Amino acid sequence: MRGYPLHLLLSFGVLWALAVLAERLGFAPAFLVPLGALAYGGLALYGLRFGLRHALLLLGLLAPWFPWASVLVPLAFALLFGRRMGEKEQAAFYGWALVWPALALLLVWQVFPTFYAFYLSLFEKVNFLRPAAFAGLENYQILLRDPLFWRALGNTFWYVLFTVPTGLLLATAIAILLNTGVAFQGFYRTLYFLPYITALTAAAAVWRWIYHPEFGFLNWLLGTPGLDWLNTPTGVFALLLRPLGLEPQGFWAGPSLAFVAVMAMSVWHFLGYQVVILLAGLQAIPKEYYEAAALDGANFFQQHRLITWPLLSPTTFFLFTLGVIGAFQVFTQVYVLTPTGGVLQDTLTLAFYLYNKGFRDSDFSYASAIAMVTFLIILVLTLVQRRVLEQRVNYEV
């Protein structure tokens, strides 16, 4: 623990540099210092439960009036008491000192914007050019009656339902094939991973050319010249059932052909990332299990159903959870492929609608309300997934 004061100084030095940078950029200068001081006091009360040292630690709460106290107080504490603390106390404080810069980043760039968005959503049409009147929950009431919001929510659910399971199934199949000892495995792994490291904007721009109704590669390949993939509002279920004389309407008509085209591009882009993660999970499964199953007469499908799927469940659960969270935030590919939200807003998603309200209509309070509702939906779905699906995950190999 000889390096303890130095690490503490470095940790709070990084924190202070972040605070100065945020202040110069104009991000909530009035809140940053007291927020850090309160967090610091809370950590002190939680992690250090001993007598008179609290008095010195709590001096950090003077930071709103004396900003340098947030640096000088912990430094003085480290120099005076750091070497006198017990082993467990030093370890606890040492740990907090090391994670504090990362924790500060989360507080400044993730937690604070969430609360600030909720604060903005309580006012009437905030645009930062004039004072806004307090409106309470009025923006949320308007949101519930907004047909475009429900349209965006329905499209986003379609996007999640299509892209997450499809991407996961394709990636699992490819990862299993690559794990069978195929030649040039490194080449195929690189080939699948290349789309993921390509800038999403550039990839979407290329796919826009592929979907072009006259010069696009896809129409040439399928022999369907003139088919306007990105501007066809008809639902795919309606298109598939039309030859049978059936014409489903509304929700049952499915997502539009334009939105399915956007979904296909998204699955292609993120497939390589999922393949690499799943391949790492497959290679962690001992080969002795497969050899024993083969000796017992299990065929290829029985081996993967009884061995691969249960032992790969932590990896698939991780990818599924991240996939759902990411799918609810889809924006870039939708914006590049269909800048106007498609015909009849058939490619409008929650993130795209939020962008339109905030940056095109300059109504940041309504956009913040959309952001808060999206946040709550993602939070509830994530908690449900952990409650329901995590019970089926097998963490023991």
Side-chain angles (χ1 to χ4, degrees), residues 86-373:
E87 190 70 23
K88 288 185 177 178
E89 294 165 344
Q90 282 198 27
F93 203 87
Y94 186 72
W96 280 115
L98 290 177
V99 302
W100 179 239
L103 191 62
L105 281 174
L106 285 175
L107 289 172
V108 172
W109 301 110
Q110 299 289 336
V111 178
F112 172 73
T114 303
F115 285 101
Y116 192 58
F118 177 69
Y119 172 77
L120 290 180
S121 71
L122 301 178
F123 288 84
E124 182 181 337
K125 199 165 187 177
V126 172
N127 59 12
F128 303 109
L129 298 177
R130 57 178 175 77
F134 183 75
L137 298 177
E138 186 178 342
N139 283 316
Y140 294 94
Q141 294 172 349
I142 297 173
L143 197 64
L144 294 176
R145 299 192 299 268
D146 185 354
L148 276 182
F149 167 73
W150 292 107
R151 178 77 170 170
L153 183 62
N155 286 338
T156 306
F157 269 109
W158 275 123
Y159 182 86
V160 175
L161 288 175
F162 181 86
T163 57
V164 177
T166 305
L168 207 52
L169 287 173
L170 285 175
T172 305
I174 294 171
I176 289 175
L177 288 175
L178 290 179
N179 196 43
T180 55
V182 64
F184 307 111
Q185 188 184 100
F187 170 74
Y188 288 117
R189 195 185 307 174
T190 306
L191 195 66
Y192 281 111
F193 199 67
L194 275 177
Y196 182 69
I197 60 175
T198 304
L200 189 53
T201 307
V206 172
W207 274 82
R208 192 171 179 180
W209 172 80
I210 291 174
Y211 286 136
H212 194 280
E214 297 180 12
F215 312 108
F217 173 75
L218 191 59
N219 280 337
W220 172 82
L221 186 68
L222 298 176
T224 54
L227 180 57
D228 198 350
W229 295 83
L230 296 175
N231 289 306
T232 304
T234 310
V236 288
F237 297 157
L239 286 172
L240 293 173
L241 296 176
R242 188 172 291 169
L244 303 175
L246 301 174
E247 195 72 38
Q249 301 291 329
F251 175 83
W252 304 108
S256 68
L257 183 63
F259 202 36
V260 171
V262 176
M263 296 175 191
M265 180 264 155
S266 298
V267 170
W268 166 84
H269 182 79
F270 294 103
L271 189 63
Y273 169 76
Q274 295 171 320
V275 167
V276 170
I277 300 293
L278 287 166
L279 192 57
L282 285 171
Q283 291 177 348
I285 300 175
K287 296 190 182 302
E288 290 79 7
Y289 293 176
Y290 294 103
E291 293 171 358
L295 289 175
D296 289 339
N299 58 33
F300 177 83
F301 295 102
Q302 289 172 327
Q303 289 179 24
H304 286 288
R305 181 170 63 85
L306 299 174
I307 299 174
T308 304
W309 183 251
L311 297 184
L312 199 61
S313 55
T315 308
T316 52
F317 177 68
F318 165 76
L319 289 174
F320 184 80
T321 304
L322 288 189
V324 171
I325 294 173
F328 266 96
Q329 302 172 35
V330 58
F331 171 75
T332 305
Q333 53 269 51
V334 178
Y335 179 76
V336 175
L337 289 172
T338 57
T340 59
V343 180
L344 303 176
Q345 304 295 325
D346 58 312
T347 61
L348 188 71
T349 62
L350 286 174
F352 196 11
Y353 191 40
L354 184 156
Y355 168 81
N356 284 341
K357 282 296 177 182
F359 296 97
R360 287 181 176 172
D361 299 344
S362 299
D363 188 354
F364 289 97
S365 56
Y366 197 72
S368 298
I370 298 171
M372 291 309 301
V373 172

